[in-house]
Amino acid sequence: MQEVMKKRASELLADGTVVRVLGWKNGEFAYDPTPAVFQTVESLEAFVYNDFCASNLSKYLIKFLRQEGKTLVFLKPCDSYSFNQLLTEHRVIRENVYIIGVPCDGKVAEDKLREKGAEGILGIETEGDQIKVKTLYGDLDLNKKECLGERCLSCKSHQVVVFDEMLGENGEENPDCGRFDMVEKLEAMTPEQRFEFWRGELSKCIRCNACRNICPACSCEKCVFDNPASGISQKAAADSFEENMFHIIRAFHVAGRCTDCGECSRVCPQHILLHLLNRKFIKEMNECYGEYQAGAEAGSRAPLVNFTMDDCEPSIIYTKEAGK
Amino acid sequence: MRRIGVFVCHCGTNIAGTVDVKTVAETLGKEPAVVYATDYPYMCSEAGQNIIKDAIKEYKLEGVVVCSCSPRMHEATFRKAVSAAGLNPYLLEVANIREQCSWIHKDMEAGTAKAIVLGRAAIAKVQLNAPLIAGESPVVKRALVIGGGIAGIQTALDIADAGYPVDIVEKEPTIGGKMTQIDKTFPTLDCSSCILTPKMVECAQNENITIYSYSEVEAVTGFVGNFSVKIRRKARFVDENKCTGCGVCTEKCPVKNVPDEYNLGLSNRHAAYIPFAQAIPNVAVLDKNRCIKLTKGKCGLCSTVCSAGAIDYEQKETIVEEKYGAIVAATGYNPIKIDGYDEFAYSQSKDVVTSLEFERILKADGPTDGHLQRLSDGKQPKTIVFVQCVGSRESGSSHGCGKEYCSKICCMYTAKHAMLCREKYPDTDVYVFYIDVRTPGKNYDEFYRRAVEQYGVHYIKGMVGKVAPQADGSLMVQASDLISNEQLHVKADMVVLAAAIEPDKSARPLATMLTASMDTNDFFTEAHAKLRPVESPTAGVFLSGVCQGPKDIPETVAQAGAAASKVIGLLAKDKLSCNPCVAHSNEMMCNGCSSCANVCPYGAITYADKDFSRRQDGSMIRRVASVNEAVCQGCGACTVACPSGAMDLKGFSTSQIMAEVDAICK
Amino acid sequence: MKKIALTKLDELFAAIAASKSLYLPVDTEKGAKYTAWTEGAKLSEATNTVRSAKDFFFPQVEDMASFKVEGKKIEVIDTRKEAEDFVVFGVRACDAKSFEILDSVYLVDPVDSYYASRREHGVVMTLACSRPTETCFCKAFGIDAAEPAGDISCWKTEDSLLLKANTEKGQALLDSLSMLEDAEDTAADAVKAATREIVEKLPLSNLSTDAFGGDKLSALFDSDKWESLSESCLACGTCTFVCPTCQCYDIRDYDTGHGVKRFRCWDSCMYSDFTLCAHGNTRTTQMQRFRQRFMHKLVYYPANNNGVFGCVGCGRCMRSCPISMNIVKVMKTLEG
Amino acid sequence: MQVNNEFRPKIVAFCCNWCSYAGADLAGTNRANYPADVKIIRVPCSCRVNPMFILRAFQRGADGVILCGCHPGDCHYTTGNYYARRRMTMLFSMLSYLGIEKGRTRVEWVSAAEGAKFAATMNEFVETITALGENKRLEDLRCKK
Amino acid sequence: MADLKEQVLTASGVNPLKCMRCGKCSGTCPSYDAMEYHPHQFVYMVEKGDIETLMKSESIYKCLSCFACIERCPRDVEPAKLVEAVRLAVIRQQGQNHLKPQQVPEMLDEELPQQAIVSAFRKYSK
């Protein structure tokens, strides 16, 4: 796939269709590619696409929105939903982007390799479902499925929903992904247990803002948390309330706009299960206002900027809980 | 920190009875920002107001807090007082320590403590109040009425009478609307044309009224007081200024088989035609789809016979652009299509007709010249069955074209039809099958009872299940009689269906142009169901007639007058002073995501690409929102929808509300 | 040199914890974390903790003072708490070196008394690395993973823990631990050699710092490579917050409704409001902020500190950067 | 607030200007009692209330927050309360998910004519919050006195 | 009997409260005269909970299940489904089969399609 992508990128750069290519560049090791911009055919030498190219590239397009010339971007299924959402919010201009869809069967998480004992990694080779990891302390044979990132284990869709051309076969939606299983588990707990669970999670937060800054929905010119005039700006979680506050408000701000790409949880250095907050909103909105998948369709109206006259009353939350 | 003055009102004993006003003034006087605090028996009295005015000057106050009755009561009074002392009127806050404190709490200690907290909240808020100046926008002294039926006509006449120019846009070649097709009107049985025609003529003659017939609204921009509208004038191929309405062309035109809209297709007209004798303007139209000259390039007969030389085959449609201060929607209604109701055999038998078709049959200028006749064989029907609620009051029906609402006018016009039949042809048997007879209106029930008691109309509670055309040309009507609990089979000669009415199809695209809201049935939504029934939530847009909801002629005329008075009230102003408590977008923070515009009920938010380039960072163009302060009503929906906090509401800013929260929870 | 059997580690920890708070790396579901020792807590085998050890001396959030407002009066209250004695066990050579770097910032005049108090009350027990990993590059900065500094240095052999005091504070602690046995000074040589051998084999073992240092300012500052290096940076603060040597902080006031709490918290040069002044910001683009971080570690710091680099090669940023951009990539790109 | 060992809750009520604030005024006019623990903040419309305000209230020591607006369909601004309703439903959902006791937040539609309902609602709400006791799970310790 | 009503409502999925008493069902019904209780009465009686009377009435077997009432009802009330549900309520009671196997031989004649017997069993027996 990497070679096919490189070839198409070279062609499109060469024939002037696009002036830059947004992709991934090889890293120091086998597992650390970095999102990068390629402006010449020669520079594409460093282009890489492998099981570790997890970054969602769509957010970078905001930067190129107003720059001259078309940008070629490679979008995985997750990323394509984000792209549509950004399109809905006028953050990107469709005409300025040439999208090549690439199929994805899940990305491998470095942590999972470490959990399975891979330290001192010297090289990684993938063959089908097998991952051979060469380390300073011996070689490991791992199963790829067992090393996938958490979000890939409950992937909602293998379908690239917006593209100019598709490389390889496009996948399908995966309605039985079970992405709400963990949310349901939490819902089944008592409020006390839930409180303890979230205190445990959110108290780990170091306010590095990685979750916010990677999030394609958090594309604000100036985040309220960086804006002293907002009254809620914070730089550190100086109190447990602020730990909660940051994450509740963030989840709220992206509610209805979050495509569930899972980047927030992927990048959290403290491994907080942040996507569970977003998924709760998605689940609740689905239940209250009908199924809605942000980014499935450009131009769709998110549930929180919409209404019907016979929407449920907020007290339904309490009766729901009582019903359990 | 601003210099704040606090003024605590006793309101006689209304407040002082359960709130220790001295303690309140004393405690609030210790707040860091407060430089003056006092109490007085009646702050709203002239003496009380003078205390405030004097203190503003003496202590150089930069903010005023009055602890008194509800701001709904005296906020305006105190604003004026503050303003008179030279302070911006919006640097005032009222702490409601009467309705929301002294009157509810009997315990002096609790009441006093709460009054202090409410005072602190007001002090915290007023610290952040911005001096607001109400914006002004000029008012174009001209109104547009869209739709030339009785609703539009009446609105236009009333506006014109007040001395303002008003334009009527009517999509048909003549104004007049549905009322021209109606024979008599309930509950007085006046002749419809007799009361409508003079109004139509008046429209044509009134200097203040311009009629754009055969025209449609193409685009609307702008806002209250300052709309800009493009009107598309369709080509009628007849010079309106030259045509005398003599009608020779319409007689000579060789194309004679065009279904006549005025008669709902029950008779034919020529390709050159004047819709009906009293049409306004009384000018011929060439039907461009049927005229031989216009379709095939031959003929040209009408041009030859027109002595005025008014025929112009080359006429093109034109666009007129005009500015208006107010717009009235009066787009009216149509009966629904009832082809889906197989059980009533409407498409099988010519003798099953809709009520509006029946009007045409009864009316002297109709297809039967006013004689009650069956359309199939011209015979006078001996038994007529009226079926009520065809397509009205349906829910999730399998027919798919039914309406959930009651069409409101059917009960009364059916009573009228039944009565007219019995009056003109006493040997006719008339049955009315009804679900409920709804006659709320002056003299309405009396009218209906007359039909039953004096005219002997058979009112049967029950619905018709089936109408079956028989071999002998009659119609077998099968229905239930719920009172006697039997199934009836009536052999009828004619069946009249009271079809539901629905808003004209042109209403929805118009609503989009006007950014006026509509309900799911495509009726325009009023600004308030009870208190602002003739205004659209979009400022400067008013509603007249059935486009807002089903109504009969008297109600329509009443609403038309009401809409006109609202328009006159608007046009009478030279400038509109806008509510200064409106939303405002901080362009530096705006992402241009459109969340705010999505929730704005007034269409007050627009977007534009703006250049934010800075020398050191290079070029930067962003899409940012801006609020039209003349259109915004200040609800604040956008402020919450905005993820970046770029939207804020003047007078109720995020920081002001949070300051109140903080002060209360302290 | 002292020693104790690995089987008796718990005894040692219990003895230390009896008089002082003891912190040591403990495995959690997701990596190792410094945790207060309690009965049964097991020392992590991980190469390093996810977060650095700088929190012990320079916590992320620290209260400095508070102001009480009553009516029109304001009262200033010193909220400083006397630091308690504590021991950190298991600090790696890289983190031990980071303390020296923090010291050179906070213990020079004017001394940061909050930091100084914590340094005074803390005893650092380091532990030599036995399994360095591919992200380790401490060697580039002259750090010997086999010879960690600290008040007490420790080595793990097959069956025992070797301890050597480097400071008086360390010696005092060792003296108080009666269960320790004496050991040869050479007892750790074998494990040191083994570690050094592995370090040589690490993929980053040959990382060169030749292109950097205080004298390379103008060449590096104007490099055209910063643009492409920084283009994918998200401006999050992950690298700075896991970094053992990042030492910038912000002082903020929090209005509690009845007063003000003044606290300081870590800042990050990656943030758009970093060093924001009344006139605006000196660095307006992410490229400039990104450059600041690496220039600080590789040029500005050594310029002011006799050529000592502001990075210790712990590799934490390499593991936690959401887009896998890091100092090694920066160094190699700038050099190449 | 703990006075004489008796717990008195702090309650913030956001009321829309057109219906509920007027309803609260009517409650006063009718001398319909409810506890002084309730303090009202006037907003133009229920849709002006940012979920953030409610969190802020809890942070600052509120024990309960109630939002009152025009009945659905009666909004002065036509659609404001419909948006408020969705936002609040989602906020309640999130608070419940985080393990905050149910009932600490409430939404009630009160018209300008429903003075009695306003008082009854406040009485009921104060009772609920008193039973729930002090807000511990959403407090900011720094704001404690 | 509240539970009988509940059973009929559940089995039919009909909400009789939607009925606006227009009588169109009865106006449409081809078996009207053969029925003791007419379709609109059915709806009303179910709403009142008067199920037992309906169960005892022959009317439930006179309904042809032609579904004209369902087709025509302007409020989507579906009276025929109520009739079906009442029949079901009868059948559910032990020994209340309207058509017993023993009766079949005597009813058979050459003209009767096999399908009619089968559907009669489905309709009238447990």
Side-chain angles (χ1 to χ4, degrees), chain B residues 214 234-239 253-255 258 269-273 284-303 310-317:
Chain B
Y214 213 42
K234 294 178 272 192
R236 63 202 298 160
F237 307 103
V238 173
D239 188 327
C253 176
V255 183
V258 187
R269 61 160 168 83
H270 295 258
Y273 69 107
V285 191
L286 302 192
D287 187 330
K288 71 169 180 193
N289 296 320
R290 303 301 298 270
C291 169
I292 301 170
K293 177 74 179 174
L294 292 172
T295 52
K296 301 197 177 89
K298 290 173 195 157
C299 189
L301 195 52
C302 50
S303 178
I311 306 290
D312 174 7
Y313 298 116
E314 299 302 312
Q315 203 178 63
K316 297 271 175 301
E317 61 174 38

Side-chain angles (χ1 to χ4, degrees), chain A residues 104-124:
Chain A
C104 171
D105 57 352
K107 295 292 168 201
V108 175
E110 184 196 331
D111 312 328
K112 290 277 177 84
L113 301 181
R114 308 248 187 236
E115 269 170 42
K116 301 211 180 316
E119 270 307 341
I121 299 171
L122 299 175
I124 298 172

Side-chain angles (χ1 to χ4, degrees), chain D:
Chain D
M1 201 182 5
Q2 207 96 15
V3 181
N4 305 333
N5 289 331
E6 184 205 4
F7 168 69
R8 293 300 334 163
K10 271 188 195 166
I11 290 170
V12 178
F14 290 99
C15 291
C16 84
N17 183 46
W18 305 97
C19 287
S20 308
Y21 194 86
D25 278 355
L26 184 64
T29 312
N30 294 340
R31 309 296 195 274
N33 286 359
Y34 56 86
D37 310 318
V38 179
K39 316 280 192 305
I40 296 171
I41 293 178
R42 183 165 69 129
V43 287
C45 176
S46 51
C47 70
R48 176 64 188 94
V49 177
N50 198 318
M52 212 165 78
F53 300 163
I54 292 168
L55 294 176
R56 175 79 162 209
F58 284 122
Q59 175 181 28
R60 295 288 165 152
D63 301 302
V65 181
I66 181 166
L67 168 62
C68 299
C70 307
H71 284 270
D74 286 350
C75 174
H76 178 79
Y77 305 100
T78 328
T79 52
N81 51 7
Y82 291 127
Y83 294 116
R85 182 161 64 179
R86 284 201 170 189
R87 289 165 188 161
M88 291 306 132
T89 307
M90 287 306 119
L91 176 71
F92 290 11
S93 162
M94 183 48 68
L95 292 180
S96 153
Y97 189 57
L98 291 175
I100 311 307
E101 309 91 333
K102 66 173 187 174
R104 276 214 194 271
T105 46
R106 178 166 169 178
V107 168
E108 201 64 52
W109 312 119
V110 180
S111 83
E114 294 175 325
K117 181 183 177 184
F118 185 87
T121 303
M122 291 307 146
N123 277 313
E124 210 182 283
F125 191 57
V126 170
E127 217 168 279
T128 309
I129 300 302
T130 312
L132 282 174
E134 222 177 324
N135 158 39
K136 289 271 186 205
R137 293 183 188 171
L138 267 181
E139 71 184 349
D140 189 324
L141 286 170
R142 296 170 299 178
C143 300
K144 292 263 154 182
K145 254 194 176 151

Side-chain angles (χ1 to χ4, degrees), chain B residues 115-428:
Chain B
I116 291 168
V117 172
L118 294 178
R120 279 197 188 124
I123 294 167
K125 188 182 179 193
V126 85
Q127 279 286 355
L128 300 164
N129 280 18
L132 301 180
I133 295 162
E136 281 181 341
S137 64
V139 178
V140 177
K141 304 214 173 242
R142 188 182 195 90
L144 171 67
V145 174
I146 302 165
I150 180 60
I153 288 172
Q154 187 63 47
T155 306
L157 284 174
D158 288 351
I159 297 171
D161 256 3
Y164 296 105
V166 51
D167 298 352
I168 300 176
V169 171
E170 168 58 55
K171 67 179 185 313
E172 300 299 333
T174 172
I175 60 168
K178 291 285 175 300
M179 198 173 160
T180 59
Q181 294 169 296
I182 296 171
D183 181 26
K184 298 270 191 315
T185 56
F186 59 79
T188 49
L189 297 183
D190 307 77
C191 153
S192 180
S193 290
C194 309
I195 54 176
L196 176 65
T197 314
K199 284 189 182 288
M200 291 166 64
V201 173
E202 215 184 318
C203 280
Q205 290 173 348
N206 194 311
E207 283 182 350
N208 278 330
I209 298 180
T210 307
I211 299 171
Y212 293 113
S213 63
Y214 213 42
S215 303
E216 282 171 44
V217 171
E218 180 90 355
V220 181
T221 53
F223 49 90
V224 57
N226 200 5
F227 291 106
S228 188
V229 180
K230 281 188 183 150
I231 299 163
R232 187 161 51 87
R233 308 206 63 188
K234 294 178 272 192
R236 63 202 298 160
F237 307 103
V238 173
D239 188 327
E240 241 181 270
N241 299 318
K242 290 183 186 160
C243 176
T244 59
C246 69
V248 175
C249 58
T250 68
E251 283 159 26
K252 297 294 179 197
C253 176
V255 183
K256 300 172 178 175
N257 58 345
V258 187
D260 185 354
E261 295 86 356
Y262 182 57
N263 279 331
L264 303 165
L266 301 180
S267 68
N268 289 332
R269 61 160 168 83
H270 295 258
Y273 69 107
I274 296 174
F276 52 90
Q278 302 91 338
I280 299 284
N282 192 7
V283 171
V285 191
L286 302 192
D287 187 330
K288 71 169 180 193
N289 296 320
R290 303 301 298 270
C291 169
I292 301 170
K293 177 74 179 174
L294 292 172
T295 52
K296 301 197 177 89
K298 290 173 195 157
C299 189
L301 195 52
C302 50
S303 178
T304 330
V305 299
C306 180
S307 53
I311 306 290
D312 174 7
Y313 298 116
E314 299 302 312
Q315 203 178 63
K316 297 271 175 301
E317 61 174 38
T318 52
I319 301 281
V320 178
E321 198 164 353
E322 187 67 75
K323 294 234 174 228
Y324 300 99
I327 298 178
V328 181
T331 45
Y333 72 97
N334 281 302
I336 63 166
K337 290 255 174 300
I338 54 168
D339 302 346
Y341 293 85
D342 294 340
E343 64 266 41
F344 299 127
Y346 177 71
S347 29
Q348 295 162 43
S349 168
K350 280 185 155 186
D351 298 324
V352 180
V353 296
T354 66
S355 298
L356 194 56
E357 288 165 349
F358 193 67
E359 289 281 357
R360 299 305 308 140
I361 291 170
L362 288 181
K363 193 166 179 181
D365 66 355
T368 60
D369 296 330
H371 302 298
L372 178 55
Q373 287 176 359
R374 283 159 46 105
L375 292 173
S376 58
D377 53 12
K379 286 187 192 148
Q380 185 199 324
K382 294 296 171 200
T383 307
I384 306 180
V385 166
F386 288 89
V387 184
Q388 296 287 67
C389 298
V390 175
S392 294
R393 305 173 69 190
E394 291 198 353
S395 65
S397 159
S398 44
H399 298 106
C401 46
K403 303 291 174 186
E404 203 159 357
Y405 51 85
C406 164
S407 294
K408 198 172 183 181
I409 54 175
C410 323
C411 285
M412 287 303 290
Y413 70 59
T414 299
K416 174 190 75 178
H417 288 161
M419 205 184 268
L420 289 173
C421 291
R422 290 283 296 160
E423 186 177 61
K424 286 194 197 166
Y425 311 94
D427 58 336
T428 321

